[in-house]
Every structure is written in C-alpha cells, then in structure tokens.
Amino acid sequence: MAIRQIRTIGDEILLHNTKPVKAITPRISMLIGDMLDTMYEAKGVGLAAPQVGILKQIVVIDVTEEGNNPLVLINPEIIELSGEQTGQEACLSVPGKAGIVTRANYAKVKAYNEHMEEIIVEGEELLARALQHEIDHLSGILYVSKVEDGIFDVNITEEEEKNEE
Ligand code: NI
C-alpha cells in the first residue's frame, strides 16, 4: 500500500468524467488500498479516484471517528435522495478551505464492493453528505460549484501540528 498524491483544485483532471470499473484486477485492488491509505493519512472522510488522478468510478468513505469502518464503492449510483441539510463542507482537493452546501439529508446508493458484489448503502447527515460529495467527484463536480456564499479559510491547526512533528 502507498500514499498517493492528492490532486488539488486547478488540476484539470478533477473536472473530468470517469469510466466504470469492469473487473477487480490486481491494479484496481492496489488502487483501492492506496486510496484508503491516502484518505486516512490526510484525515479525510472520503476520497474519489479522480483525486489521485485516476478517471475511474471508485470512491472510499469512512465517517467514523475511529476510522475503522471503510466503505468501498465501485460504480456507485444514487438511487434515492430525500430531505435537506445545510452545512459546512470541505474537500481534500481544496486544502484549508470550506464552504456551506445544501444537500439531501438522506441518500441511498447502489454500488459494488471490492469483491464486485452489489451493495446498497444508505446514510443520513454526514454519511449522506459524503456519498453525494464523493459521487459528484466522479462526474468532475467539486463542492465549490455548489457553495452558497463562497469558500472560506478554515483552521488548519491539525495540519500545522503535523508539519511540526
Ligand atoms: Ni472532495
């Protein structure tokens, strides 16, 4: 497993569409492992393949505090959305920034797991937000195009601490 470089806003690859995964090859398995490592290392709650420069429909998410319950979603598709939530959102590809985005409060997603078995994932609040945010990445959509009052700087104490180590 390895940490991959996270592409940041301004990198055109983030604006591209992605292709579905046809089969779990060793290369795809390695990519999934690397995406998980990269997400945890960056202390993110989600990461989509275009963020590491790969135009494939793969998303990893972990919204748990402990960071021990990863979701791997291949070729994910939103099949139901309901309700509404308005709150702060950020992205590993837009470091040090956040913005207010309104999303559905509930999301139901059909996808395949890392064994290419069909799964259904349902979530509310943070998980619903992460599902919508990450699946947007697969169509080249960044949250900054959905913010209500522009993006703003956020406290980066944690990153500063890490840099001091
Ligand atoms: Ni993002």
Side-chain angles (χ1 to χ4, degrees), residues 46 51 90-93 133-134 137 143:
Q51 294 182 274
C91 178
L92 293 174
S93 292
H133 175 117
E134 299 309 332
H137 273 297
Y143 84 92

Side-chain angles (χ1 to χ4, degrees), residues 60-161:
V60 294
I61 291 175
D62 192 340
V63 296
T64 64
E65 293 253 323
E66 305 78 21
N68 58 5
N69 193 19
L71 272 172
V72 175
L73 304 176
I74 294 169
N75 306 340
E77 205 183 312
I78 291 177
I79 54 175
E80 199 181 325
L81 292 174
S82 67
E84 196 178 280
Q85 58 174 319
T86 298
Q88 192 168 312
E89 196 161 314
C91 178
L92 293 174
S93 292
V94 191
K97 305 281 183 186
I100 303 297
V101 183
T102 297
R103 303 254 188 203
N105 193 52
Y106 166 86
K108 186 174 186 178
V109 170
K110 187 185 93 139
Y112 296 88
N113 66 14
E114 65 273 40
H115 309 296
M116 228 39 187
E117 296 157 344
E118 192 177 309
I119 53 169
I120 298 286
V121 176
E122 287 180 288
E124 291 185 323
E125 298 172 5
L126 179 58
L127 178 54
R129 179 176 293 280
L131 287 165
Q132 293 166 82
H133 175 117
E134 299 309 332
I135 292 171
D136 270 355
H137 273 297
L138 303 181
S139 309
I141 297 168
L142 298 177
Y143 84 92
V144 296
S145 67
K146 299 188 166 180
V147 294
E148 278 153 39
D149 292 305
I151 57 172
F152 48 84
D153 291 331
V154 287
N155 188 332
I156 52 164
T157 316
E158 220 169 50
E159 286 170 34
E160 285 167 353
E161 273 171 15

Side-chain angles (χ1 to χ4, degrees), residues 2 4 21 25-38 49 52 54 56 58 60:
R4 301 211 184 187
V21 172
T25 60
R27 223 180 142 89
I28 294 285
S29 289
M30 184 180 289
L31 171 63
I32 292 168
D34 288 354
M35 284 175 65
L36 287 166
D37 286 352
T38 305
V52 293
I54 309 287
K56 290 199 183 297
I58 306 173
V60 294

